[in-house]
Amino acid sequence: RPFDLRVEDHHEPLRELRRLVDLKRAYDRAEAGDELAAEGDMEAALEEYAAARAAQPGSAELAFWHGVALAGTGREAEARDALAEAFRAGEEWRELVRRLPAAGLLPDDPDLVSRLVLSGRTEVGPGPAAV
């Protein structure tokens, strides 16, 4: 069994089952992206991350990791768009960006990290937006 899903108690079990299967498939695509990235094939990895994100447009997590992969390949503008989507779901994603260079998941570039953390923010008033 690849996975076991139970939906008997849901008020619309077939709709819920479809949602869960679609979610699993999206995460399978993201996992394939992780494997391709580990093998050094970043173009194919980015395709998988983009497909996962497109399959689950409301997933902050899939948008976040797509953004991280884009940033790691120098596609900062695209990364900022993806990260802004994740940041709308919660500020904790900004903190995770700050921690990723120490884990080797983003370049150790404080200026890049600052720009990424500011993704999706607009300045209010005369001063710069807070990081």
Side-chain angles (χ1 to χ4, degrees), residues 54-72:
Q56 291 293 312
S59 172
E61 182 177 14
L62 293 173
F64 180 83
W65 290 112
H66 185 208
V68 169
L70 288 163

Side-chain angles (χ1 to χ4, degrees), residues 59-131:
S59 172
E61 182 177 14
L62 293 173
F64 180 83
W65 290 112
H66 185 208
V68 169
L70 288 163
T73 60
R75 297 179 185 184
E76 185 178 339
E78 293 172 81
R80 289 177 56 112
D81 288 342
L83 291 171
E85 183 179 325
F87 296 161
R88 284 191 291 276
E91 288 296 307
E92 64 276 7
W93 294 107
R94 290 182 202 278
E95 180 58 32
L96 185 53
V97 168
R98 292 183 186 101
R99 295 176 184 210
L100 291 179
L105 296 173
L106 269 179
D108 189 10
D109 178 345
D111 291 334
L112 172 64
V113 171
S114 291
R115 290 190 306 271
L116 293 175
V117 167
L118 290 172
S119 298
R121 285 200 175 159
T122 56
E123 292 187 7
V124 178
V131 176

